Amino acid sequence: MKGSIVADLAEVTATMAANKAFVPGRRIKFDFGETGVILLDGVAGVVSATDGPAETTIRMSFDNFKALAQGKLNPTMAFMTGKIKIDGDMGLAMQLQSVTSKLNL
């Protein structure tokens, strides 16, 4: 099971990189706990699964991330119910709908 989660994370990271799914000039990190991280580095113009500093860190389960990207999870409700936790620039986190819309998961 853990192997399939890692493959899914790698696939999502590759899809985000191919679609340049980052905010130019800004760094945002998705922290999925034990599953791993995706760093959207709009300063360097890359997306990677390498942990690093970010202006905004969004913590959630990888399953909730996929549901969000598929439009099955309302981001406002997820935040209000604690399924998403945000550390850092809240305004930057709000720009992520444009990022997740590029995924087509």
Side-chain angles (χ1 to χ4, degrees):
M1 177 83 175
K2 181 124 177 128
S4 66
I5 292 172
V6 172
D8 285 345
L9 181 65
E11 182 179 17
V12 169
T13 303
T15 299
M16 292 177 94
N19 288 295
K20 299 183 187 317
F22 50 78
V23 177
R26 310 301 289 270
R27 288 187 180 107
I28 304 168
K29 177 172 42 178
F30 287 98
D31 182 343
F32 305 118
E34 290 183 16
T35 302
V37 301
I38 297 177
L39 180 62
L40 311 179
D41 189 341
V43 175
V46 298
V47 176
S48 72
T50 305
D51 200 355
E55 296 165 72
T56 302
T57 299
I58 301 167
R59 301 177 200 287
M60 68 175 78
S61 73
F62 191 60
D63 285 341
N64 282 340
F65 174 80
K66 290 189 289 185
L68 184 72
Q70 294 168 351
K72 295 178 181 176
L73 179 64
N74 178 295
T76 303
M77 290 304 296
F79 178 76
M80 293 178 73
T81 58
K83 292 180 179 180
I84 297 175
K85 294 183 171 119
I86 300 171
D87 296 324
D89 186 340
M90 181 69 79
L92 186 53
M94 306 273 296
Q95 295 179 36
L96 288 176
Q97 184 172 359
S98 65
V99 169
T100 56
S101 70
K102 295 179 181 181
L103 294 180
N104 300 320
L105 294 179

